[in-house]
Amino acid sequence: MLSAEIKDKYELVVGLEVHAQLLTQSKMYNSDSTEYGNMPNTNISVITLGHPGTLPKVNKKAVEFAMKMGIACESEINRTNIFARKNYFYPDLPKGYQITQDKGPICKGGKVYITLNGEEKSIAITRIHMEEDAGKSMHLAGEVDTLVDFNRAGVPLIEIVSEPDMRSSEEAYAYLAEIKRLVRYLDICDGNMEEGSLRCDANISVMLKGSDTFGKKVEVKNMNSFRNVARAIEHEFERQIQMIEAGEDIPSETRTFDATTGTTSSMRSKEDLNDYRYFPEPDLSPVLISEEWLQSVRSEMPSLPRELFKRFVNEYGLPDYDAGVLTDSKEIALYFEELCQKTKNYKAASNWMMGPVKSYLNELTLHISDFPISPAQLAELIALIDEGKVNFSVASQKIYPVMIEQNGKTPLQIAEDLNLIQESDEGSIRPIIEQVIAANSAKVEEYRAGKKGLLGMFMGQVMKQSQGKADPKVASKILTELLEN
Amino acid sequence: MKIDNNTLKKIAHLARLEFDEAGAEKMTKDMTQILDWVEKLNEVDTEGVEPITTMSSEVNVLREDKVGEHLSHEKGLKNAPQKDSDYFRVPKVME
């Protein structure tokens, strides 16, 4: 084990390459379906299989999805896009090359904002380019052969390459979480790392603190969850420091992560790296992005999480914590946003979302799109509380469950049906309180002798006698008044 | 430009080609000839000329995102040297 003292001498440097599978119906360069989970080798055509004489054709929507990600990351959108062939031999790549972008990626530069411990930091983006996915090879135990399924071959991807700007595994985790949130807000990728629709390779190096030269970087692959990316980074940090401390050179190589042991092992060194011999793809004509096209894509951009977060904090006066929870998913954020068009009690709206709404959804593992109560109905319920007609516990425990049943009644009707409307009329509450005081004369004496804690007991009695309908504010006022005199 | 033996070997490996000594000699000769021929292009002054990447002058040949006709599973697998009822089979590759 490394001592904290030694570890503290070094700084970690991480850059990430993220592949995101785009949510198009058809593939990047042909019209095969991208549907997941079909029988093997059914989403195929002569183009996918790389038969001679076939020609690719670019999917317009995939280009627009890549533009959207670039706009979200404040990248410069490249107006003249050409594609390139990346040549290598692998059985999951039937053509013998992958059609990707080499020089002139669709998005240049840009940044992604992450927030850690309340502090915002921007991670620079080097580039985002378009390419196609490879097929899936299976190496089953007991099989002499490798089995290949080409359903995934040609599915559109964007590759998002960051600068080596991350300094801890927490930053890398936060960066990935933000990329996932962005692609989901943009509706261009479902962002599921476990199922492989979001994939991540990490370039990791270490250097002495204060140094201005990065150490030799190691590329780590095969991490299929955010947590595993963080684990792999932690492991590499220690492994590389140990090597440096032992006076060893760190070879530039590609390593694979083993989730069961939490360690990495060498896959191949950079010396026998493929020579990809990139050259411009002659089968695809350039894709020119006009100002009009860019503007029309820009106009389709949804509000982004960072923007909504700021609005929730600055305009609605919510705490950072609330804003963070509410913007975690686009659908929750949009529901909340609609709710705030119908009520001005933003904090109450936020409490409802984070409390009763979330727990109902979590309990039944439902999505907000399945939530039976509309923002307008929820706003009515909040208004009912604000008007003093019911209190929060009656609203959340008695009315809310009925609203979920969707009986078509308004919260007010439900409250009336169940006889839940609070008595806030002094005239009807006062006799109840007088009764309670008369029935507890001994306690009244104790209270007057200084045992002020008994107030709660009296309130309890009042609520019980009124069957929970007495407005606590009014009741407490009268009660105190009568007890003090 | 003369192709040396190392370059030839490297290119042969990248293209997964195998040939014997005599074949290598012939290949070296052919490739050298091809490169010499292409080198002739250097005689043309291309100062200020934008490179083209396709022979056609078309741009934005794009496809709407619609699913089209697939090749049937049977037809797709028909020409595979090795297959089973579901998959293409290839010699085991492990990384």
Side-chain angles (χ1 to χ4, degrees):
Chain A
M1 265 307 283
L2 268 178
S3 75
E5 194 188 334
I6 291 177
K7 219 167 145 178
D8 202 45
K9 288 184 352 197
Y10 292 91
E11 185 161 45
L12 171 73
V13 178
V14 178
L16 296 179
E17 292 169 14
V18 178
H19 284 92
Q21 238 177 32
L22 300 179
L23 284 174
T24 53
Q25 300 293 310
S26 66
K27 291 185 178 177
M28 182 72 211
Y29 308 112
N30 69 56
S31 63
D32 295 1
S33 167
T34 56
E35 199 177 337
Y36 183 78
N38 288 347
M39 291 295 286
N41 295 303
T42 51
N43 296 351
I44 52 170
S45 62
V46 285
I47 301 177
T48 291
L49 296 179
H51 281 280
T54 56
L55 287 173
K57 198 170 175 186
V58 174
N59 185 334
K60 187 177 171 196
K61 192 170 234 172
V63 177
E64 292 180 344
F65 280 3
M67 285 158 77
K68 282 186 176 173
M69 191 60 183
I71 295 168
C73 296
E74 303 171 23
S75 306
E76 181 194 330
I77 307 297
N78 180 19
R79 300 310 184 89
T80 308
N81 284 277
I82 58 163
F83 293 86
R85 288 189 185 179
K86 178 180 179 179
N87 300 279
Y88 63 96
F89 269 97
Y90 207 73
D92 58 16
L93 193 73
K95 297 190 293 297
Y97 55 85
Q98 178 194 34
I99 307 180
T100 176
Q101 290 191 290
D102 178 31
K103 296 186 179 68
I106 184 157
C107 311
K108 277 180 276 187
K111 46 183 157 312
V112 167
Y113 296 92
I114 58 169
T115 303
L116 265 188
N117 309 320
E119 281 199 33
E120 193 177 66
K121 173 177 175 175
S122 75
I123 305 294
I125 299 292
T126 315
R127 59 184 281 159
I128 302 172
H129 66 257
M130 302 176 278
E131 60 185 31
E132 59 179 333
D133 210 342
K136 200 175 167 79
S137 354
M138 271 152 288
H139 322 283
L140 303 178
E143 276 286 357
V144 210
D145 298 324
T146 287
L147 311 180
V148 191
D149 172 11
F150 288 114
N151 284 355
R152 200 181 63 183
V155 168
L157 299 176
I158 49 172
E159 181 174 344
I160 306 150
V161 183
S162 88
E163 290 288 303
D165 275 1
M166 285 156 268
R167 292 291 174 272
S168 66
S169 60
E170 290 83 7
E171 284 187 8
Y173 190 101
Y175 169 81
L176 274 177
E178 192 54 33
I179 293 278
K180 173 177 170 172
R181 217 147 61 118
L182 284 174
V183 295
R184 289 172 88 143
Y185 263 75
L186 295 170
D187 221 359
I188 60 172
C189 168
D190 66 19
N192 193 327
M193 238 184 129
E194 281 77 8
E195 284 175 13
S197 52
L198 202 65
R199 278 167 255 159
C200 174
D201 300 334
N203 289 308
I204 306 163
S205 66
V206 299
M207 61 181 182
L208 281 171
K209 272 187 184 158
S211 165
D212 51 12
T213 358
F214 292 159
K216 270 217 210 122
K217 72 174 181 195
V218 168
E219 184 179 12
V220 181
K221 291 179 175 291
N222 200 21
M223 301 158 291
N224 63 353
S225 70
F226 287 9
R227 205 174 88 78
N228 282 342
V229 173
R231 285 171 75 204
I233 291 170
E234 286 298 326
H235 170 75
E236 271 303 302
F237 186 44
E238 300 216 347
R239 190 186 69 86
Q240 293 183 25
I241 292 173
Q242 266 160 352
M243 287 181 77
I244 296 169
E245 287 286 317
E248 290 170 55
D249 252 353
I250 293 168
S252 285
E253 59 180 353
T254 303
R255 298 177 71 84
T256 179
F257 179 70
D258 181 345
T260 48
T261 60
T263 60
T264 63
S265 56
S266 184
M267 280 170 83
R268 55 174 181 257
S269 72
K270 292 279 175 190
E271 278 87 81
D272 43 59
L273 191 74
N274 279 302
D275 177 352
Y276 293 125
R277 295 152 295 151
Y278 283 99
F279 64 87
E281 168 58 85
D283 287 345
L284 290 173
S285 57
V287 174
L288 305 186
I289 298 173
S290 66
E291 191 55 37
E292 291 95 307
W293 191 11
L294 183 57
Q295 282 311 326
S296 81
V297 172
R298 216 181 266 283
S299 69
E300 290 167 12
M301 291 287 287
S303 294
L304 294 176
R306 185 164 172 262
E307 198 181 306
L308 289 171
F309 181 92
K310 287 191 170 167
R311 187 183 307 161
F312 292 177
V313 171
N314 299 333
E315 282 180 39
Y316 300 159
L318 297 181
D320 284 8
Y321 176 78
D322 291 37
V325 173
L326 293 169
T327 52
D328 196 42
S329 93
K330 176 180 160 184
E331 292 73 20
I332 295 273
L334 293 184
Y335 185 99
F336 179 71
E337 182 65 358
E338 209 182 320
L339 180 56
C340 288
Q341 307 307 310
K342 319 264 182 202
T343 176
K344 293 284 162 262
N345 193 345
Y346 306 127
K347 182 58 188 155
S350 166
N351 291 346
W352 272 95
M353 293 301 295
M354 299 201 301
V357 176
K358 274 230 155 174
S359 50
Y360 171 76
L361 296 177
N362 288 346
E363 207 174 296
L364 300 175
T365 56
L366 288 178
H367 194 259
I368 185 83
S369 58
D370 307 316
F371 187 58
I373 301 174
S374 72
Q377 290 171 309
L378 191 53
E380 280 180 45
L381 184 55
I382 293 171
L384 213 54
I385 302 169
D386 289 348
E387 290 158 12
K389 294 218 167 70
V390 293
N391 60 36
F392 176 78
S393 54
V394 166
S396 62
Q397 287 160 26
K398 303 259 167 66
I399 304 175
Y400 176 70
V402 179
M403 288 171 75
I404 284 175
E405 303 295 321
Q406 278 179 299
N407 65 0
K409 291 189 173 161
T410 66
L412 180 62
Q413 286 167 336
I414 297 169
E416 281 168 347
D417 283 359
L418 300 176
N419 198 16
L420 295 170
I421 298 293
Q422 267 179 173
E423 298 284 358
S424 50
D425 166 27
E426 284 206 26
S428 55
I429 300 176
R430 192 175 284 269
I432 299 172
I433 297 176
E434 283 169 349
Q435 241 177 29
V436 169
I437 286 180
N440 292 279
S441 50
K443 298 279 182 202
V444 174
E445 287 313 311
E446 282 179 51
Y447 178 89
R448 288 182 177 150
K451 218 172 163 190
K452 301 291 180 202
L454 283 170
L455 188 65
M457 187 280 298
F458 284 111
M459 271 301 281
Q461 288 292 317
V462 173
M463 293 313 276
K464 200 175 159 195
Q465 295 298 323
S466 72
Q467 288 161 323
K469 282 161 57 188
D471 181 336
K473 267 183 255 154
V474 179
S476 152
K477 196 182 126 244
I478 303 171
L479 185 62
T480 321
E481 186 190 301
L482 292 180
L483 283 171
E484 299 291 336
N485 296 312
Chain B
M1 193 179 135
K2 178 110 171 73
I3 286 282
D4 64 40
N5 210 26
N6 279 342
T7 312
L8 184 77
K9 272 192 188 155
K10 188 182 165 203
I11 293 169
H13 170 70
L14 288 171
R16 303 295 188 273
L17 291 176
E18 271 182 316
F19 31 75
D20 56 19
E21 273 306 306
E25 211 168 293
K26 185 171 182 300
M27 197 63 85
T28 306
K29 199 170 143 242
D30 283 355
M31 285 183 73
T32 304
Q33 265 179 8
I34 292 167
L35 286 177
D36 284 345
W37 184 75
V38 174
E39 220 157 62
K40 268 198 122 27
L41 290 175
N42 286 339
E43 291 169 19
V44 184
D45 181 8
T46 55
E47 188 70 34
V49 179
E50 281 291 314
I52 57 161
T53 55
T54 55
M55 292 310 290
S56 133
S57 55
E58 283 181 316
V59 294
N60 289 4
V61 183
L62 300 166
R63 197 169 51 72
E64 291 302 321
D65 181 31
K66 291 219 174 71
V67 174
E69 197 127 333
H70 292 107
L71 198 56
S72 76
H73 177 74
E74 293 68 31
K75 274 190 177 168
L77 284 160
K78 194 177 163 208
N79 293 328
Q82 276 193 76
K83 64 199 159 191
D84 59 31
S85 56
D86 290 329
Y87 296 99
F88 289 83
R89 284 177 168 263
V90 297
K92 197 151 208 159
V93 275
M94 290 294 273
E95 267 203 292

